[in-house]
């Protein structure tokens, strides 16, 4: 159970406070409700670029990291298709340093052309290293547009193409910032050895004067129901053939999300899963295989992926996966299997919440559902999944018509 209190400033900034006197640190987590799904399809990668630009100096602070380190703090950030999240940990007595730094960034960046050029180069190099020059690095650049034809999940967070980042101007940066990086498009979570009343005064002091803007209206195209299996075959300089299969599934806050998540665990969470036991241990078709869900807010994907053993044809490997799926259809998920994956999911969730930072991020994410207390219902949602709900989810999701299949072949074979 994560206890919390909430309040909002007049400028629309939503604030969540989680007090924990058992730790000596404080967490300042600032979530902006903007991700790569909010970008223009012909001009992608801006949300991720901003993850970098926000550390390049703000209106009154030239060196963000240096000032935070002086206060004994550490920080990082991440971007997803749904959000951009900035977080820091620091000694609780120095929390105002965190408020000062984050409020100054929200007030305005330095908008220094040199910073833009440096961070543009960093992102382009990251694009090359992680997506173009790494084995299987471009998998999601292939899979996303194969699985999504309408929704902006069809491009990766870093962007569709290097060209999109290369052509970003300072005017583009300013426009994006003042559209999305505003108090009424943000949720601030303050957690740790702090007191609600004191935090209220400090947050008002540092954030209260930042002007709000008209909140951007999000109107995204929803993905049409997939009607037939999609296929793509590529060849690249990778060590072994690989198989990727995706199936459309409900979004993170859907009632059926947990059933789909647990179904993926039954299929391929670990070495006791059905896919691993049959296709790695018994038939020795795959070197590795697993299943997971993307966990996105809008309808996401259940993903099966595996690397093949030498000498195994990829068509044979894919057919073997379908046979495991057919076997699961004939012999449904057993109560023993379901209890096991439910216990695993619950323990993973509870173990993560030991860390105060994880609790802060969970609270921020839960706020996007419209009901922050959903963070405290996760365990019950897992426990309430039944064999019948898993069966229904299986029948709806794991069909050939709902599948997008990528054969990623080694050109050395």
């Amino acid at each position: 159970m994560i206890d919390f209190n909430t309040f909002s400033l007049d400028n629309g900034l939503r604030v969540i406070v989680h007090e924990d006197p058992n730790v000596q640190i404080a967490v300042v987590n600032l979530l902006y409700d903007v991700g790569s799904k909010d970008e223009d399809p012909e001009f992608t990668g801006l949300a991720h670029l901003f993850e970098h630009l926000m550390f390049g100096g703000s209106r009154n602070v030239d060196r963000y990291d240096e000032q935070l380190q002086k206060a004994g703090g550490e920080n990082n950030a991440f971007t997803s298709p749904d959000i951009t999240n900035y977080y820091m940990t620091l000694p609780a007595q120095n929390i105002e340093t965190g408020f000062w730094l984050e409020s100054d960034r929200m007030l305005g960046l330095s908008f220094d052309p040199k910073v833009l050029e440096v961070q543009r180069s960093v992102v382009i190099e990251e694009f090359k290293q992680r997506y173009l020059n790494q084995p299987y690095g471009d998998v999601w650049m292939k899979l996303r547009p194969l699985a999504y034809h309408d929704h902006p999940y069809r491009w990766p967070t870093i962007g569709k193409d290097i060209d999109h980042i290369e052509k970003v101007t300072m005017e583009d940066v300013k426009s994006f910032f003042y559209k999305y990086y505003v108090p009424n498009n943000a949720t601030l979570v303050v957690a740790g050895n702090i007191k609600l009343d004191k935090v209220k005064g400090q947050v008002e002091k540092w954030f209260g004067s930042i002007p709000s803007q008209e909140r951007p209206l999000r109107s995204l195209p929803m993905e049409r129901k997939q009607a037939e299996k999609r296929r793509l075959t590529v060849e690249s300089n990778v060590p072994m053939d690989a198989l990727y299969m995706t199936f459309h599934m409900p979004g993170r806050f859907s009632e059926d999300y947990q059933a789909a998540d647990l179904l993926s665990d039954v299929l391929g969470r670990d070495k006791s899963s059905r896919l691993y036991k049959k296709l790695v241990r018994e038939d020795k078709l795959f070197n590795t295989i697993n299943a997971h869900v993307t966990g996105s807010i809008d309808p996401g994907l259940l993903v099966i992926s595996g690397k093949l053993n030498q000498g195994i044809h990829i068509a044979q490997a894919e057919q073997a996966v379908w046979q495991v799926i057919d076997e699961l259809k004939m012999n449904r998920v057993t109560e023993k299997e379901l209890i096991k994956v439910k216990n695993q999911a619950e323990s993973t969730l509870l173990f993560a919440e030991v860390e105060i930072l994880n609790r802060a991020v969970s609270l921020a994410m839960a706020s996007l559902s419209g009901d922050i207390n959903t963070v405290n219902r996760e365990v019950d949602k897992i426990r309430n999944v039944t064999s019948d709900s898993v069966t229904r989810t299986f029948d709806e999701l794991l069909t050939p018509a709902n599948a997008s299949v990528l054969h990623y072949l080694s050109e050395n074979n």
Side-chain angles (χ1 to χ4, degrees):
M1 183 76 174
I2 305 177
D3 295 322
F4 63 89
N5 290 279
T6 66
F7 63 94
S8 296
L9 302 187
D10 290 343
N11 60 12
L13 178 66
R14 299 175 298 280
V15 186
I16 305 170
V17 180
H18 167 56
E19 298 179 43
D20 185 349
N22 298 312
V23 299
Q24 297 304 309
I25 63 170
V27 173
V28 177
N29 188 94
L30 191 54
L31 181 150
Y32 289 96
D33 190 7
V34 56
S36 57
K37 70 182 181 184
D38 297 296
E39 298 164 344
D40 184 325
E42 302 306 317
F43 197 37
T44 62
L46 265 174
H48 174 259
L49 177 62
F50 259 86
E51 178 191 323
H52 293 260
L53 290 175
M54 289 283 277
F55 294 99
S58 54
R59 186 169 294 183
N60 301 296
V61 182
D62 290 335
R63 295 177 177 84
Y64 177 98
D65 287 337
E66 181 180 308
Q67 297 298 331
L68 183 58
Q69 288 164 7
K70 286 179 181 178
E74 298 179 341
N75 72 92
N76 214 325
F78 62 86
T79 314
S80 79
D82 297 310
I83 65 163
T84 311
N85 194 70
Y86 301 86
Y87 57 91
M88 68 172 74
T89 58
L90 71 172
Q93 64 268 27
N94 294 338
I95 194 169
E96 277 206 89
T97 298
F99 293 151
W100 164 53
L101 292 171
E102 286 297 359
S103 64
D104 202 65
R105 293 203 295 189
M106 186 183 287
L107 184 64
L109 300 185
S110 66
F111 298 117
D112 184 341
K114 292 180 181 177
V115 172
L116 175 57
E117 292 313 311
V118 168
Q119 298 305 328
R120 187 204 311 272
S121 297
V122 169
V123 171
I124 289 173
E125 187 59 29
E126 179 184 348
F127 196 110
K128 292 176 180 177
Q129 287 187 359
R130 291 182 57 191
Y131 293 83
L132 301 184
N133 299 331
Q134 181 173 297
Y136 313 103
D138 62 348
V139 161
W140 280 100
M141 299 186 76
K142 309 291 188 187
L143 269 178
R144 284 190 175 278
L146 183 64
Y148 289 102
H149 287 184
D150 305 297
H151 194 280
Y153 285 164
R154 65 184 183 272
W155 59 82
T157 305
I158 201 166
K160 278 186 187 179
D161 196 292
I162 289 177
D163 290 347
H164 291 189
I165 298 303
E166 289 177 336
K167 69 183 182 183
V168 172
T169 68
M170 185 57 72
E171 289 306 309
D172 298 324
V173 169
K174 290 181 179 180
S175 175
F176 194 87
F177 180 84
Y178 288 115
K179 182 177 183 180
Y180 292 109
Y181 280 71
V182 294
N184 49 318
N185 198 48
T187 298
L188 174 68
V189 180
V190 187
N193 197 346
I194 41 89
K195 293 293 185 181
L196 174 63
D197 290 342
K198 192 172 183 179
V199 167
K200 280 185 176 181
Q202 292 169 332
V203 170
E204 178 64 47
K205 170 185 173 181
W206 290 104
F207 292 89
S209 62
I210 302 174
S212 61
Q213 304 288 340
E214 183 177 351
R215 191 171 184 190
L217 178 63
R218 180 177 280 147
S219 180
L220 304 179
M222 291 295 101
E223 189 68 18
R224 288 166 289 180
K225 184 177 176 62
Q226 187 171 324
E228 60 183 7
K229 184 191 291 186
R230 299 168 184 168
R231 289 188 173 279
L232 178 64
T233 301
V234 299
E235 285 192 20
S236 187
N237 184 24
V238 293
M240 59 189 76
D241 293 347
L243 173 69
Y244 299 87
M245 304 170 67
T246 70
F247 302 84
H248 292 281
M249 62 165 283
R252 182 66 185 82
F253 301 125
S254 166
E255 291 182 1
D256 294 325
Y257 174 82
Q258 279 74 23
D261 192 14
L262 292 174
L263 175 59
S264 76
D265 290 345
V266 170
L267 280 168
R269 178 181 174 119
D270 55 28
K271 292 182 179 180
S272 65
S273 66
R274 292 208 179 195
L275 287 169
Y276 193 94
K277 285 194 297 185
K278 177 62 175 173
L279 305 183
V280 176
R281 192 178 301 159
E282 295 178 16
D283 294 350
K284 295 180 172 50
L285 300 178
F286 285 81
N287 180 273
T288 61
I289 192 166
N290 64 76
H292 68 278
V293 300
T294 55
S296 52
I297 292 177
D298 293 336
L301 300 172
L302 188 157
V303 184
I304 296 172
S305 62
K307 306 289 194 312
L308 279 61
N309 282 325
Q310 290 291 333
I312 304 301
H313 194 278
I314 198 160
Q316 176 189 1
E318 182 191 341
Q319 182 60 35
V321 172
W322 284 112
Q323 287 173 355
V324 172
I325 292 173
D326 289 341
E327 172 66 23
L328 187 57
K329 186 174 184 178
M330 295 293 296
N331 301 298
R332 300 296 192 174
V333 176
T334 66
E335 198 62 34
K336 182 179 179 180
E337 282 179 304
L338 185 56
I339 290 172
K340 185 194 77 170
V341 295
K342 287 166 76 169
N343 288 341
Q344 288 174 328
E346 183 176 338
S347 63
T348 297
L349 181 64
L350 295 177
F351 182 76
E353 289 181 356
V354 170
E355 296 291 333
I356 187 75
L357 175 58
N358 291 339
R359 277 176 264 161
V361 174
S362 294
L363 285 165
M365 289 298 298
S367 71
L368 298 176
S369 73
D371 178 7
I372 303 169
N373 206 46
T374 190
V375 73
N376 290 319
R377 290 195 286 268
E378 288 293 314
V379 169
D380 285 340
K381 288 180 179 180
I382 293 169
R383 291 174 178 173
N384 291 337
V385 172
T386 65
S387 298
D388 287 344
S389 62
V390 173
T391 296
R392 185 182 69 253
T393 300
F394 175 96
D395 291 339
E396 291 174 356
L397 303 188
L398 295 183
T399 67
N402 193 38
S404 296
V405 181
L406 171 62
H407 290 183
Y408 202 117
L409 305 180
S410 169
E411 59 189 20
N412 302 316
N413 288 346

